[in-house]
């Protein structure tokens, strides 16, 4: 009997690229059993050389797989190559990590970090390689084995990369399973899984948490973000327009930690609307494989339709589309849209768009902007922009989110936790803490 297959689509054409396996219950059981068998030896192995080899594999894979990533995800080829570079850097970072016991109290107590066991890692379609490795690298460094399930919209690159990584890892340490729902739920609920590491939407994250609850599995959930950016009255719009634009529209706006709504205070409003719109009109939208493309298509039709719906709904409610909108022709192309006169009563402001549309809300005071920015169940990232950086930093400290930045938005180092508050997630990852549990050893005095 032939294995069921899942079609993969090219968002630049709307046409099928190829098919991948649509894994079922037997595939899940086989993968988790392999991960469980591999774990006892893997947890006691010196894993540093293996992680360094993984970094080399990712680096070398970029030449072959970056075009595949562009084809299935839509992002420009240079961004696909950059995603591989960031992923390789993460493997190198964790290859250097040493898990030393911590001595506490009067010197008789040691706190060790022990691995958890087989991990279910579930990744979304916006950064298939980068987010996969963000889960794999700390899990491997901690001594865990992993069953990785990529999004059914972007499974190709992950599947190919997984096969290459298994050549430098012991059997069973990594298995990649492709397929559509209910594959993720079956994996999460499997009794052999000890931790679930999920990145995706809030509704799906709640479903994942419910599926994991009967087994009291460890959870790391990186969920949606409706990130605010506050532009202070002293801001020079021309000075920040390009940085603020790419903070919102990189990867066609399909980034959990991108700016999703702008609150411009007082005299900054008109200038920032004009500057962002002027810059947006210079950006080249097209097939990610074409030289010169800066923004590719929206990844999939449901997301594309949602962006159109939110934009048109806002326009009908009084927002002004200064520039941008859907483009004619095949594929899911949408020029970056700047929406003026938006307000918090609109869904395009209240809800995460995760697409190439940016609403700008006029505020009279900084206090009003902070209040509106915090009036959400999301709490991933936020930023404040202003000429006086000390003043901007003071305002940033008032934002209720996991990470705040001043005069930038998406900058991040490998040493910092990826924290989300409220509905933006559980278990902000800091090193391998989320992939281990403490093991305390007391030594008797004397």
């Amino acid at each position: 009997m032939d294995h069921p297959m899942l079609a993969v689509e090219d968002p630049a054409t709307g046409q099928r690229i190829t098919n991948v396996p649509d894994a079922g219950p037997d595939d899940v059981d086989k993968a988790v059993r392999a991960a469980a068998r591999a774990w006892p030896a893997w947890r006691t192995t010196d894993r540093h050389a293996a992680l360094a080899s993984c970094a080399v594999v990712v680096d070398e894979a970029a030449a072959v797989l970056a075009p595949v990533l562009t084809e299935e995800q839509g992002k420009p080829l240079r961004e696909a190559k950059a995603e591989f570079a960031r992923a390789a850097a993460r493997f190198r970072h964790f290859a250097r990590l040493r898990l030393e016991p911590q001595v506490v109290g009067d010197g008789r107590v040691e706190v060790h970090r022990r691995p958890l066991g087989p991990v279910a890692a579930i990744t979304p379609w916006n950064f298939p390689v980068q987010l996969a490795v963000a889960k794999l690298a700390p899990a491997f460094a901690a001594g865990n084995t992993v069953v990785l399930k990529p999004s059914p919209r972007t499974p190709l690159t992950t599947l190919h990369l997984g096969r290459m990584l298994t050549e430098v890892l012991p059997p069973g340490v990594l298995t990649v399973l492709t397929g559509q729902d209910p594959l993720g739920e079956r994996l999460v609920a499997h009794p052999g899984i000890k931790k679930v590491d999920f990145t995706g939407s809030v509704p799906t994250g709640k479903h994942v948490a419910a599926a994991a609850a009967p087994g009291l599995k460890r959870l790391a959930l990186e969920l949606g973000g409706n990130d605010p950016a506050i532009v202070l009255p002293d801001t020079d719009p021309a000075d920040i327009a390009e940085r603020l634009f790419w903070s919102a529209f990189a990867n066609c706006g399909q980034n959990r930690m991108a700016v999703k709504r702008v609150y411009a205070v007082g005299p900054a409003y008109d200038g920032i609307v004009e500057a962002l719109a002027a810059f947006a009109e210079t950006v080249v939208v097209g097939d990610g494989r074409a030289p010169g493309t800066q923004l590719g298509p929206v990844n999939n039709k449901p997301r594309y339709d949602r962006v159109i719906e939110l934009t048109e709904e806002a326009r009908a409610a009084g927002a002004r589309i200064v520039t941008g909108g859907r483009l004619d022709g095949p594929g899911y192309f949408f020029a970056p849209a700047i929406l003026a006169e938006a307000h918090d009563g609109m869904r395009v402001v209240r809800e995460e768009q995760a697409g190439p549309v940016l609403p700008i809300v006029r505020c009279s005071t900084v206090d009003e902007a902070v209040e509106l920015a915090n009036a959400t169940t999301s709490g991933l990232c936020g930023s404040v922009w202003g000429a006086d950086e000390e003043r901007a930093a003071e305002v940033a400290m008032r934002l209720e989110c996991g990470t705040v930045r001043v005069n930038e938005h998406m900058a991040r180092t490998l040493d910092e936790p990826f924290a989300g508050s409220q509905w933006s997630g559980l278990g902000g990852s800091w090193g391998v803490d989320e992939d281990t549990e403490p093991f305390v050893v007391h030594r008797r005095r004397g």
Side-chain angles (χ1 to χ4, degrees), residues 50-338:
L51 267 75
S53 295
C54 287
V56 172
V57 167
V58 174
D59 266 332
E60 293 178 348
V64 175
L65 294 184
V68 178
L69 178 56
T70 290
E71 184 178 30
E72 68 172 342
Q73 202 281 334
K75 64 184 59 182
L77 183 58
R78 71 177 184 285
E79 290 186 20
K81 292 177 179 177
E83 187 168 335
F84 276 88
R86 289 190 293 269
R90 191 176 296 273
F91 267 131
R92 287 193 294 270
H93 174 82
F94 281 96
R96 296 189 293 267
L97 186 70
R98 297 294 184 271
L99 293 178
E100 302 293 344
Q102 181 183 2
V103 178
V104 299
D106 60 3
R108 296 182 303 115
V109 180
E110 294 178 349
V111 181
H112 299 254
R113 303 297 306 187
R114 280 187 164 180
L116 300 170
V119 172
I122 302 175
T123 55
W125 46 262
N126 55 348
F127 291 94
V129 174
Q130 187 174 329
L131 290 177
V133 173
K135 300 181 188 309
L136 295 179
F140 290 165
N144 298 318
T145 53
V146 180
V147 180
L148 172 63
K149 189 200 86 68
S151 166
R153 301 197 183 282
T154 54
L156 270 180
T157 312
T158 311
L159 188 60
H160 291 316
L161 182 61
R163 289 169 179 161
M164 297 169 75
L165 289 171
T166 57
E167 294 179 4
V168 297
L169 294 168
V173 169
L174 171 64
T175 302
V176 177
L177 291 179
T178 58
Q180 56 193 333
D181 293 337
L183 174 59
E185 184 175 355
R186 288 173 179 149
L187 180 58
V188 168
H190 194 288
I193 291 295
K194 302 305 179 185
K195 180 202 170 182
V196 178
D197 191 345
F198 170 83
T199 299
S201 70
V202 171
T204 306
K206 291 180 179 181
H207 195 66
V208 167
L216 291 179
K217 303 175 193 292
R218 301 294 190 274
L219 271 179
L221 302 177
E222 181 201 332
L223 306 179
N226 193 11
D227 291 9
I230 295 176
V231 180
L232 299 179
D234 67 348
T235 308
D236 179 357
D239 182 53
I240 72 165
E242 183 173 354
R243 279 178 291 138
L244 181 55
F245 177 89
W246 288 117
S247 295
F249 290 100
N251 197 29
C252 208
Q254 301 167 127
N255 189 331
R256 299 286 174 195
M257 55 187 286
V259 172
K260 305 295 196 319
R261 50 200 170 113
V262 174
Y263 296 96
V265 182
Y269 182 85
D270 290 332
I272 202 64
V273 168
E274 181 180 343
L276 284 173
F279 187 82
E281 290 172 357
T282 71
V283 173
V284 179
V285 179
D287 192 316
R289 292 158 288 205
T293 293
Q294 294 172 282
L295 282 183
V298 176
N299 173 258
N300 56 80
K301 192 174 189 302
R303 177 62 51 183
Y304 178 68
D305 290 343
R306 175 174 163 79
V307 169
I308 293 170
E309 178 185 349
L310 290 176
T311 303
E312 288 303 313
E313 187 178 286
R315 183 190 59 77
R320 177 167 56 94
I321 304 175
V322 185
T323 188
R326 65 187 301 175
L327 300 175
D328 294 332
Y332 309 128
F333 292 101
F334 194 99
I338 304 298

Side-chain angles (χ1 to χ4, degrees), residues 21-64:
D22 188 5
D26 290 344
D27 301 299
V28 171
D29 192 55
K30 181 180 177 182
V32 177
R33 288 180 182 274
R37 285 195 304 269
W39 183 56
W42 178 244
R43 67 180 298 193
T44 59
T45 298
D46 185 341
R47 299 175 294 275
H48 300 97
L51 267 75
S53 295
C54 287
V56 172
V57 167
V58 174
D59 266 332
E60 293 178 348
V64 175

Side-chain angles (χ1 to χ4, degrees), residues 317-365:
R320 177 167 56 94
I321 304 175
V322 185
T323 188
R326 65 187 301 175
L327 300 175
D328 294 332
Y332 309 128
F333 292 101
F334 194 99
I338 304 298
L339 302 187
E341 308 304 335
H343 57 76
D344 270 37
M346 298 173 176
R347 281 203 304 147
V348 75
V349 178
R350 293 196 321 269
E351 301 177 11
E352 179 184 26
Q353 321 94 9
V357 54
L358 181 64
I360 306 177
V361 178
R362 186 191 302 270
C363 296
S364 300
T365 66

Side-chain angles (χ1 to χ4, degrees), residues 375-386:
T376 177
T377 55
S378 298
L380 196 57
C381 305
S383 57
V384 178
W385 305 69

